[in-house]
Each structure stands twice: as structure tokens, then as C-alpha cells.
Amino acid sequence: MKVPFYGHVRQYQSIKAEVDAKIQEVIMSGQYVQGPMLKKFEEELAAYSGANYAIGVGNGTDALWLTFIALGLGEGDELITNANTFFATAEAIWIAGCTAVLVDCDPKTKCLDPEAVRKAISKRTRAIVPVHLYGQCAPMREIRKIADEYGLLVVEDNAQAIDAHGDNFKIGELSDAVTISFIVQKNLGTYGDGGGILTNHQYINERVRKLRNHGSGRRDAHSAGFNSRLDDLHAGVLSAKLKHIKEWTDRRIEISHKYTAGLKGCGFLDLPIVSPGYRHAFHLYVVETRNPADRDKVLDYLVKNGVDAKTHYSIAIHKQDGFPWGKSARLVSPLTHAEKNAASCISLPMFPELTEEEIQYTIQVLSDWPKNK
Ligand SMILES: Cc1ncc(COP(=O)(O)O)c(C=O)c1O
């Protein structure tokens, strides 16, 4: 049996009529860039998120650095974020000319450890950028408290956790802005690249709208800007999909319960932990091998047995050769938990269209791993 990691085509088949109708609507409107479908999707996203403003941009990386620039962040400013995240979080900080300060995660949730954040604060710290990793919200209340104490901005990197929430807090409620990725594999993904920003601040909304469009607010007048817009075709796809996000997240949660119940006898694995009262959106279901030396063996074994497992992310940011070190980054040791996460993580197939057979097969393969006997 083969269990795929992604279910993009299966999902398309389940909503084909709705997606096709939106694509037709955009094509027939004759307006494809900053047209009526983008406006409609931005309104729907703002209403769904409870934010005053939603702005569509080219991708989730641009969403981050455009927000940093709109907030007036730049050279000399330190932004504190996870050492265990997708490369783009740190990359966007560097693109904006700021310094990424990389700190450790909570060993249970893999999200930012507030105590590590507190220890990382310097005279240059201007913002905290918590990542809602794997689909679970960072501890925003604690992060907000630290931000208030030190007068810092907060930008949530919500590439992975649309439709999640914390224990009585919503994404966006305790920060200055939220950034989203709509790349195809995300829980709300288009057929290509896309990104978005949510904010309650009018000035961020105005600045990002200009920045994304060559610094232009009206015809032929430009200040410094870029080209990073969410195309109307993508906005149409996302508008069709947004209506399904709640049912899809519910299904992801249901699959997570099946995995967690089925794998509890696997003594060689640590399973994901959901913080009490949180809605984890399970963008990824990530297990860790208790012994990091087992990770590659278990991964190979899964793949050889037809289960397309992957790693997110097997190289922590501070171990990336490609990162422009020097003034672009500062590490705050120890990074023990981030490094353990990188060395031992395995992501199992997780998408709403997984079948019962595929879920049970994945559980069976892992339960049969020789070292589990
Ligand atoms: C945590 C995180 N931040 C930022 C990004 C960047 O988003 P994009 O690929 O849309 O640029 C991603 C995903 O790709 C991500 O997972």
C-alpha cells in the first residue's frame, strides 16, 4: 500500500465545481491583478479571522518582511523568533535588514519558550515573532505580557495554523499583525504561491497595500515599494476553499486522535502534545524518535513500506550553512530542544482526505517497527 504525504488532487476533486466556478468568474471578469476577486477574498478572510484588515500578498515570506518594513523595523533592530522553524521566518527578518535572534522552544509544544524569549531581550530588541509551529498556537498570553513589559511589537508567523486558537485567545487578538502562507501544501492553500497579512492597525493596512504595489496608492504616483500581490485567480481558489476550512481542520483533528490512540504503544516515539484548551490545526502531525539516532532509520523504514513520511525541519535555523551570519543573526544558547526536535522529528501523512485504511496502515507499519518489539 502507498500512503501519500499530500492530497491536493483528492481535495480538488471534492470541491471541483466550486473552484472551477471561481476560476471562470475571475477569467470572465477581465481583471486579474488587484481586481474584484482579491477584494472579495480579503473581505471574507478579514470577516473569518475577526481582523479589521486582511491584505493579500505574493507569499508567506513576503507577508513577513512586508509587515516588518510596514512596522518601521530595519537595520540594527533585533527580532526574536524560533530556532526551530521553516527557514523563511529567519530569512524574512534578514531581508528586512533586521537581526534574527534565535531562541529555544518548549520541549512539549515545540513553540517559543517564553522564558527563553525573556532571556534573549537586549537594548536592540524591537519585536517577537512567534511561530505557530505545526498548527499549534504559541503561548501568546505569556508572549504578550513580555512584549508589554518591554514595549515590543509582536508579529505572529501563522503560516501553519489557520483555524487554530489558544485557550480563550484567537490568532491576531494579542499581536500587531499576523502573517499567513497560502502555498499549496498549507491547510488553506492555493494552486501555487500566496500569502496574507491580518491586522487591526489601519497604518499597517495602508502601508502594506502601498508596499505590495510598487509603493503606489494612486495611479502613476510611487514611493519605495515592491511587487508582491495575491493574484485574483489564487484569491478565487482561496475564496472557494475558505468555506471548507473548519470541516477540514475538524478532520485533521480527528486523524490526529486516531494516530495518537494507535501509536501510544510505540515506546520509541514521542507523540504531539496539545496544550489544554488549544485547538491545534494539525498542519503537520510530527512525532519524535526518543533516540535521535533512530530517526533516519525509522524514516527510511516508513518510506520503504510505502508511507511517504518527511521531516519538518531536520536542520535548525542556526545550523543552516545558507544563512547570512554575522549581523543578521544572534543565537541565544542553549538551543537544546530545538536541536533535539531537528534531530528526531518525523512528519506522518496528514491531510483531510486521508482514508481510514491509510491511517490504520501507517499506524500498523510504525507499530511493527522491529525495535518496538
Ligand atoms: C513557519 C513558516 N513561515 C513562513 C513560511 C513562508 O511561506 P511561503 O512559502 O508562502 O513563502 C512558511 C511556509 O512555507 C512556514 O512554514
Side-chain angles (χ1 to χ4, degrees):
M1 177 160 191
K2 291 256 181 262
V3 186
F5 194 76
Y6 298 119
H8 309 318
V9 177
R10 286 187 202 178
Q11 187 176 79
Y12 172 61
Q13 282 162 340
S14 75
I15 51 166
K16 186 174 182 309
E18 295 155 70
V19 171
D20 290 0
K22 289 283 184 181
I23 290 173
Q24 281 296 315
E25 188 183 331
V26 174
I27 294 172
M28 293 311 291
S29 77
Q31 297 173 78
Y32 313 121
V33 180
Q34 301 209 116
M37 189 59 86
L38 175 61
K39 187 167 183 293
K40 183 171 187 298
F41 174 63
E42 288 177 337
E43 284 165 6
E44 289 170 353
L45 183 65
Y48 158 81
S49 311
N52 289 352
Y53 309 100
I55 310 123
V57 296
N59 55 67
T61 311
D62 288 4
L64 282 161
W65 62 260
L66 285 166
T67 302
F68 301 149
I69 292 175
L71 286 167
L73 300 170
E75 178 107 31
D77 295 333
E78 291 189 348
L79 277 57
I80 299 173
T81 194
N82 301 48
N84 62 320
T85 174
F86 180 58
F87 188 68
T89 316
E91 183 186 32
I93 294 173
W94 163 66
I95 292 171
C98 308
T99 301
V101 176
L102 303 170
V103 306
D104 212 356
C105 62
D106 177 307
K108 287 195 181 132
T109 64
K110 319 301 171 197
C111 289
L112 266 189
D113 171 3
E115 280 319 302
V117 171
R118 196 179 277 282
K119 282 192 203 128
I121 291 171
S122 78
K123 286 199 299 288
R124 297 179 149 210
T125 308
R126 295 284 313 282
I128 308 172
V129 185
V131 181
H132 300 323
L133 201 73
Y134 304 152
Q136 174 151 241
C137 291
M140 289 304 299
R141 242 184 263 291
E142 288 81 348
I143 288 168
R144 181 74 258 165
K145 192 161 171 275
I146 296 171
D148 288 344
E149 239 175 84
Y150 292 90
L152 305 176
L153 296 159
V154 180
V155 177
E156 296 172 73
D157 180 344
N158 188 30
Q160 304 192 355
I162 197 153
D163 205 40
H165 62 65
D167 53 345
N168 292 320
F169 69 82
K170 285 197 306 189
I171 290 173
E173 199 182 320
L174 299 169
S175 66
D176 296 281
V178 178
T179 65
I180 308 174
S181 167
F182 297 125
I183 193 170
V184 59
Q185 67 267 27
K186 297 302 194 230
N187 292 21
L188 180 63
T190 183
Y191 301 115
D193 276 306
I197 296 161
L198 305 172
T199 185
N200 291 327
H201 297 304
Q202 195 187 350
Y203 80 96
I204 298 179
N205 176 52
E206 281 171 7
R207 286 184 194 172
V208 172
R209 278 179 193 285
K210 280 181 84 171
L211 284 171
R212 75 172 176 184
N213 189 35
H214 307 289
S216 180
R218 65 187 166 82
R219 186 158 193 92
D220 295 337
H222 300 268
S223 53
F226 311 88
N227 177 354
S228 182
R229 300 167 299 220
L230 180 68
D231 291 331
D232 280 54
L233 279 171
H234 291 306
V237 171
L238 293 165
S239 169
K241 286 191 170 194
L242 185 61
K243 297 187 179 61
H244 295 275
I245 192 68
K246 285 216 175 297
E247 89 204 47
W248 287 338
T249 310
D250 288 346
R251 174 65 181 153
R252 286 174 183 271
I253 293 170
E254 186 184 19
I255 296 168
S256 80
H257 289 156
K258 288 175 192 275
Y259 275 152
T260 300
L263 297 173
K264 66 174 187 293
C266 294
F268 61 101
L269 292 179
D270 285 321
L271 307 178
I273 292 175
V274 181
S275 302
Y278 280 52
R279 176 172 165 90
H280 190 319
F282 279 100
H283 171 55
L284 296 164
Y285 186 95
V286 180
V287 299
E288 284 185 354
T289 53
R290 290 207 176 140
N291 181 356
D294 286 341
R295 195 271 305 284
D296 289 351
K297 294 177 211 154
V298 176
L299 189 62
D300 275 4
Y301 162 82
L302 280 165
V303 172
K304 279 196 187 106
N305 282 282
V307 177
D308 189 15
K310 298 195 185 296
T311 51
H312 296 80
Y313 299 95
S314 61
I315 307 176
I317 302 294
H318 58 290
K319 302 274 183 181
Q320 293 284 0
D321 291 341
F323 198 77
W325 295 108
K327 66 179 182 174
S328 301
R330 177 163 75 80
L331 311 184
V332 181
S333 299
L335 295 167
T336 323
H337 304 305
E339 285 171 10
K340 163 72 171 59
N341 180 233
S344 59
C345 61
I346 300 177
S347 314
L348 302 183
M350 168 55 89
F351 56 90
E353 298 76 19
L354 271 179
T355 65
E356 189 60 30
E357 234 191 326
E358 289 167 334
I359 297 163
Q360 294 310 328
Y361 178 75
T362 303
I363 291 170
Q364 195 54 55
V365 171
L366 272 172
S367 305
D368 288 345
W369 195 58
K371 278 209 192 165
N372 198 33
K373 305 270 177 238

